[in-house]
Amino acid sequence: MKTVWVGCDNGVTGSIAFIIEDKETGYYNTEFMLTPVFSELSYQKTKVKHMTRVDFKALYEIMRSHKEDSERFVVAIERPMINSTRFDASLSARASLEAMLIMFNLLDISYVYIDSKAWQKQLLPANLKGSPEQKRASRDVGCRLFPEHKELIMKHKDADGLLIALYAKKNL
């Protein structure tokens, strides 16, 4: 049976990756995707505003299909960014996390939180300064380690989900 390591870069602009391995058959595969989302009119009455939400049904089906034929299913989710100076982004990150937690609960999936600094320290070069350098390094390392996903990595501008899954495979 297969072991599946899942890396979740939390948030509506995040990504999800699967590293799938079956040591008995030698099967090995990776999958990388943007977190499925949709946009809808917000609840605000004062002005027209849209909000982006996790597409729960799509994400549920993706996770269910991977979990059902695996013997071991390991999920690592990056701890969400919660920062009072970025209130709207923090609300979105928390809502996205809640959708994932509900899905994990319904599918009886255990998970661990990963701090970004932990996987970045292990997989990215040292002494990166600021988010733009970290994103660039994530993109470059992801393209080097997972060339089959280069097109999406370049479009998305980072490989965080893949690198989180790789961190989980190496450490969990």
Side-chain angles (χ1 to χ4, degrees):
M1 285 292 275
K2 297 176 192 166
T3 298
V4 179
W5 291 274
V6 184
C8 298
D9 178 18
N10 186 46
V12 295
T13 60
S15 59
I16 300 171
F18 300 87
I19 297 176
I20 307 155
E21 185 176 55
D22 188 336
K23 290 186 179 179
E24 290 179 15
T25 65
Y27 178 83
Y28 180 87
N29 191 30
T30 61
E31 293 181 27
F32 180 56
M33 66 190 68
L34 302 181
T35 300
V37 296
F38 65 93
S39 181
E40 70 179 9
L41 193 61
S42 178
Y43 53 85
Q44 292 183 339
K45 291 173 71 173
T46 55
K47 61 182 178 178
V48 175
K49 187 174 179 182
H50 286 79
M51 62 182 172
T52 304
R53 296 179 53 206
V54 170
D55 186 338
F56 184 86
K57 290 177 185 177
L59 185 59
Y60 179 91
E61 284 305 313
I62 291 164
M63 288 288 183
R64 183 194 56 73
S65 68
H66 280 289
K67 184 182 185 261
E68 72 183 11
D69 69 339
S70 65
E71 183 177 55
R72 185 168 181 232
F73 195 77
V74 180
V75 175
I77 184 168
E78 189 174 56
R79 191 177 313 278
M81 182 278 309
I82 304 296
N83 182 333
S84 61
T85 63
R86 299 187 62 205
F87 183 73
D88 287 343
S90 294
L91 283 179
S92 177
R94 184 63 180 97
S96 177
L97 175 64
E98 185 66 20
M100 291 214 174
L101 295 178
I102 292 168
M103 180 206 47
F104 295 154
N105 186 278
L106 286 173
L107 290 170
D108 198 28
I109 294 173
S110 58
Y111 57 92
V112 296
Y113 289 107
I114 303 292
D115 283 320
S116 58
K117 288 182 193 264
W119 69 262
Q120 289 170 356
K121 181 178 181 182
Q122 191 174 103
L123 297 170
L124 299 182
N127 301 318
L128 296 172
K129 293 191 172 49
S131 183
E133 277 191 28
Q134 291 169 333
K135 291 289 181 195
R136 195 174 313 114
S138 171
R139 182 196 66 209
D140 294 348
V141 170
C143 286
R144 186 174 67 234
L145 295 177
F146 301 98
E148 66 273 23
H149 301 295
K150 182 176 182 174
E151 185 178 327
L152 182 55
I153 292 169
M154 296 303 286
K155 178 182 174 189
H156 185 56
K157 298 184 176 66
D158 72 52
D160 289 3
L162 279 163
L163 298 177
I164 293 166
L166 181 60
Y167 178 87
K169 183 178 186 293
K170 291 178 174 234
N171 295 282
L172 303 178

